[in-house]
Amino acid sequence: MPKASDIKKNAAIEFNGSAYFVKDIERSVPQGRAGGSLYRMRMYNVATGQKVDETFKDSDMLNLADVMRRQVMFSYSDGDEYVFMDNEDYSQFSLNKDNIEDEILFFNESTQGLQVVLLDDAPVALELPAHVELEITETDPSIKGGSATARTKPATMTTGLVIQVPEHISTGDVVKINVEEKKFMGRGEK
């Protein structure tokens, strides 16, 4: 049984008799409080989709729920459903837009390294790789010699994500993006 301090984002835990998927964790250290850190976890109930914010002390013991991860590619979206295809057996998994709203801006049909998280054979979440490559659809014109300055400009990706990029980057360029920090890492491979 791991402590609350050992739980990571995208883990599944058992809490109050149900399985919950942890979407986000905020750590805080209250002033003048003996003990330790508090971990506020934003999670949702796997069965009902209900979102819950719960705070645990670092020493609270939690049960992990049994999850599986499958490598997938994004196939298509149908209304609010996003359909992914298993890279090995080509089976399909559907995830509702509400369950993957934080991830939607970071992938398209060519994104490698996506994983669907399964709990009791049901898809509950999408895990992104550490970085993704996306094409810029709109940004201000590039400035020659702009690579010598640290100034940046906003750029919109094909998915709608907006990040800051250096001035020498142009519309149509493929860029590498750090998913966790939502930051430009460099030009992409394409």
Side-chain angles (χ1 to χ4, degrees):
M1 278 179 75
K3 294 179 183 174
S5 57
D6 297 330
I7 301 293
K8 302 274 184 260
K9 195 171 148 180
N10 288 342
I13 62 170
E14 289 176 9
F15 177 69
N16 287 346
S18 297
Y20 285 86
F21 194 75
V22 179
K23 287 295 276 182
D24 204 22
I25 301 173
E26 285 178 28
R27 178 176 177 257
S28 62
V29 183
Q31 291 281 323
R33 185 177 161 265
S37 304
L38 294 176
Y39 293 85
R40 181 170 184 220
M41 298 186 191
R42 192 176 101 218
M43 49 195 189
Y44 69 88
N45 184 310
V46 172
T48 66
Q50 175 192 9
K51 290 186 176 155
V52 177
D53 277 355
E54 194 67 42
T55 302
F56 299 98
K57 294 196 283 274
D58 55 4
S59 58
D60 287 345
M61 301 302 270
L62 300 170
N63 273 331
L64 286 176
D66 197 17
V67 297
M68 269 179 50
R69 286 172 170 74
R70 302 287 298 187
Q71 291 281 339
V72 295
M73 291 292 286
F74 172 59
S75 284
Y76 62 92
S77 62
D78 181 12
D80 284 349
E81 293 297 311
Y82 282 70
V83 180
F84 299 86
M85 188 174 66
D86 190 303
N87 288 359
E88 285 177 29
D89 65 13
Y90 306 112
S91 56
Q92 294 188 335
F93 303 106
S94 287
L95 284 163
N96 189 286
K97 184 172 126 183
D98 293 342
N99 290 353
I100 58 171
E101 61 188 337
D102 296 340
E103 291 84 8
I104 287 175
L105 293 175
F106 290 98
F107 67 85
N108 59 27
E109 291 84 357
S110 61
T111 305
Q112 301 289 318
L114 298 174
Q115 291 188 355
V116 163
V117 179
L118 302 170
L119 184 71
D120 298 328
D121 291 330
V124 293
L126 179 68
E127 254 178 42
L128 298 169
H131 65 270
V132 295
E133 291 187 6
L134 294 171
E135 183 181 331
I136 295 174
T137 56
E138 188 183 326
T139 190
D140 292 338
S142 66
I143 297 172
K144 291 221 182 303
S147 60
T149 69
R151 288 195 307 228
T152 61
K153 60 185 179 181
T156 305
M157 306 299 128
T158 52
T159 60
L161 176 70
V162 177
I163 63 163
Q164 293 292 319
V165 298
E167 289 184 328
H168 66 279
I169 300 293
S170 328
T171 298
D173 285 353
V174 173
V175 294
K176 197 185 259 190
I177 301 163
N178 178 312
V179 170
E180 188 74 28
E181 297 173 4
K182 295 183 175 119
K183 283 194 177 153
F184 172 84
M185 292 174 65
R187 285 187 190 269
E189 307 281 318
K190 295 173 187 148

